[in-house]
Amino acid sequence: MAFDCTPRVNFEVMQRFIGKKVSVVGEIESTTPEGQIVLITSDKGRIHINTNPRAGPYDTKFLEFVGNVVDPRTLQEEEHTNFGDNFDMNMYNEMVKLSNGRYADMFTS
């Protein structure tokens, strides 16, 4: 059985996935008048999330967004998961670097 492996990315890695589905974790910085979320990624980059109107509420400080990369700074949300208000972004960023570098084969099908 094959699994659908969605790459976990930060701002730097996201640039390599234009047009592809990814997962990104970050902290909500603000929302724009157009309804986009400005997200600070685990490597301190800033991206815009085009929100999914059918998605549930954004109830916590840290969230994971899954969606398609529109351009180097924009993700179109498919879904999200609230990650709570206490999340170690530095540790997560180290995992992202390892999963897209030296140990990439452990994170792909």
Side-chain angles (χ1 to χ4, degrees):
M1 175 202 277
F3 293 96
D4 179 23
C5 291
T6 303
R8 296 184 179 278
V9 302
N10 56 22
F11 177 79
E12 179 183 355
V13 174
M14 191 172 111
Q15 316 307 303
R16 301 191 317 231
F17 288 91
I18 307 270
K20 299 204 164 80
K21 184 177 178 178
V22 299
S23 167
V24 62
V25 172
E27 179 179 353
I28 294 180
E29 179 180 63
S30 62
T31 56
T32 68
E34 297 80 27
Q36 289 181 318
I37 289 174
V38 179
L39 192 76
I40 301 173
T41 62
S42 60
D43 60 346
K44 310 280 191 271
R46 282 183 175 73
I47 63 170
H48 287 91
I49 307 292
N50 292 334
T51 57
N52 178 347
R54 294 183 306 264
Y58 308 101
D59 288 336
T60 62
K61 183 176 179 179
F62 299 100
L63 295 101
E64 174 188 46
F65 288 92
V66 175
N68 291 307
V69 180
V70 177
D71 62 44
R73 295 184 179 275
T74 310
L75 182 82
Q76 178 61 54
E77 176 191 11
E78 288 183 10
E79 60 184 336
H80 73 273
T81 302
N82 292 310
F83 268 25
D85 295 326
N86 186 17
F87 186 78
D88 190 335
M89 292 283 279
N90 292 324
M91 180 74 74
Y92 183 83
N93 195 56
E94 289 303 312
M95 186 276 302
V96 168
K97 291 190 290 189
L98 291 171
S99 71
N100 286 282
R102 183 175 180 184
Y103 299 104
D105 58 332
M106 293 176 62
F107 292 86
T108 58
S109 57

